[in-house]
Amino acid sequence: MAIQHLAELKPFNTFSISAKADRLARFSTVDELRSLLASPEVKGTPLLILGGGSNILFTQDFHGTVLLNEMPGIAVVQEDAEHVWVKAGAGVTWHTFVLSCVEQGWAGVENLSLIPGKVGAAPMQNIGAYGVEIKDTFSSLEALRIADGELVTFNKEACAFGYRESFFKRTGKDQYVILSVTFRLNKKPVLNTSYGNIQQELDRMEITQPTIRDVSNAVIAIRRSKLPDPAVLGNAGSFFKNPVVPQELVDRIKAEHPDMVSYPAGEGHAKLAAGWLIERAGLKGYSRGSHGVHDRQALVLVNLGGATGHELYDLSKHVLRTVKEKFGVDLEREVNIL
Ligand code: FAD
Ligand code: EPU
């Protein structure tokens, strides 16, 4: 368990932002993690647990210890006639886990194909796409409590999942290292093809009786057509959440913009498409040279080459201000700012 000093973080975040960490180390077992946490060099320093770095923006150097989670393994831990409980190590790449479920014919996570990052970060913001969130198949997770090194099991209720939210992003922030996540998957698939243009994509693929693999392939094709590949263009997916606002505000905006996109979100509220708001505020494709707003999906901020985290953060402030001025809507950042 070598500890690297003044480590460059550029390869470890999908924005490809250059920043230094005072220390960086990797762990792939609980024992390795415990000994790192107990080592005199690490003990008491600020910690950052990093998965794939696909939901993070470094605005400065990290004066503490970055711990790269590399806990491996995918295993069936329980089974009945209808379901299978699959436990995945926090360091497994999320899409690898999805593909292994698709391969086995276990349904429930196929709509979440191609989301970047690791399994361990998935519960942090209850990752979601195409009508599905991980809370729908989540069974439990195991985490190490940093304060005393104890292992704690969290059930779904304890995780307090919401839209891009969980206990770990709020009250439990920086207190736990997620080690593994167990999902309950369906042996008898009920496919969810109603969201967005999945059905349209299946029609294009001339598929009339879709399998789990077909849905996964359709989602992959849609995502590739809309979202920039971080290997080509630095980004962290949606930079902002879709805001939930009171219906009166929706009615007021719609009076002027009847084509505004909105979805029902509980009594007297609606969820707005932040991408639509940003586009209509005139910012889609807006560029400041080294960074800008993606020209195909306005919810995504991009590093066009050589941007600093501070510059991207400043751009996000400009987006927040412009949308507020134009529509009176407060957007909230989804990406974790460091
Ligand atoms: P990181 O960025 O490494 O970490 C994110 C946060 O979780 C940090 O605060 C980190 O400290 C913490 N963390 C990570 N691992 C652990 C752990 N084991 N224990 C404790 N804390 C931990 N998200 C969606 O929900 N839906 C999408 O459709 C989607 N599409 C995306 C598309 C693109 C092109 C990109 C770049 C991102 C997208 N995202 C999406 C965002 C991102 O992929 C997810 O949030 C993902 O779960 C982040 O995983 P990660 O391993 O990269 O997390
Ligand atoms: N839209 C615009 N202009 C844009 C972008 C979008 O008008 O530039 C409109 C679209 O036409 C559509 C609506 O906004 O009517 C929604 O767009 P889209 O289907 O592309 O999804 P999104 O709301 O922008 C959300 C998630 C994504 C997830 C997709 C698919 C959030 C913050 N984002 O995006 O998650 O993949 O739905 O389910 O909820 C992420 O969290 O990083 C992420 C990529």
Side-chain angles (χ1 to χ4, degrees), residues 1-7 21-25 33-48 62-67:
M1 286 173 316
I3 299 178
Q4 208 184 319
H5 296 94
L6 286 181
D22 286 358
R23 285 165 298 278
L24 179 138
L33 173 61
R34 283 203 172 112
S35 28
L36 274 169
L37 293 176
S39 76
E41 255 199 282
V42 173
K43 202 171 176 179
T45 63
L47 296 176
L48 173 65
F62 184 70
H63 295 299
T65 310
V66 171
L67 296 175

Side-chain angles (χ1 to χ4, degrees), residues 28-153:
S28 50
T29 67
V30 182
D31 285 347
E32 281 178 6
L33 173 61
R34 283 203 172 112
S35 28
L36 274 169
L37 293 176
S39 76
E41 255 199 282
V42 173
K43 202 171 176 179
T45 63
L47 296 176
L48 173 65
I49 316 304
L50 206 53
S54 64
N55 205 19
I56 214 155
L57 177 68
F58 290 109
T59 59
Q60 53 192 319
D61 291 340
F62 184 70
H63 295 299
T65 310
V66 171
L67 296 175
L68 289 178
N69 191 325
E70 296 186 341
M71 303 273 297
I74 300 177
V76 173
V77 290
Q78 196 186 326
E79 203 166 350
D80 66 19
E82 304 210 330
H83 295 106
V84 57
W85 283 256
V86 184
K87 181 175 175 175
V92 172
T93 298
W94 173 258
H95 187 55
T96 303
F97 169 67
V98 171
L99 289 183
S100 92
C101 297
V102 168
E103 184 82 12
Q104 303 285 338
W106 300 328
V109 287
E110 57 282 357
N111 293 44
L112 304 175
S113 295
L114 213 62
I115 297 182
K118 302 281 178 82
V119 166
M124 290 298 296
Q125 68 160 13
N126 176 29
I127 56 168
Y130 298 95
V132 170
E133 293 180 327
I134 67 143
K135 72 165 172 37
D136 304 328
T137 48
F138 178 92
S139 175
S140 65
L141 66 77
E142 189 173 41
L144 179 137
R145 189 162 51 213
I146 294 169
D148 58 9
E150 286 299 310
L151 297 185
V152 187
T153 300

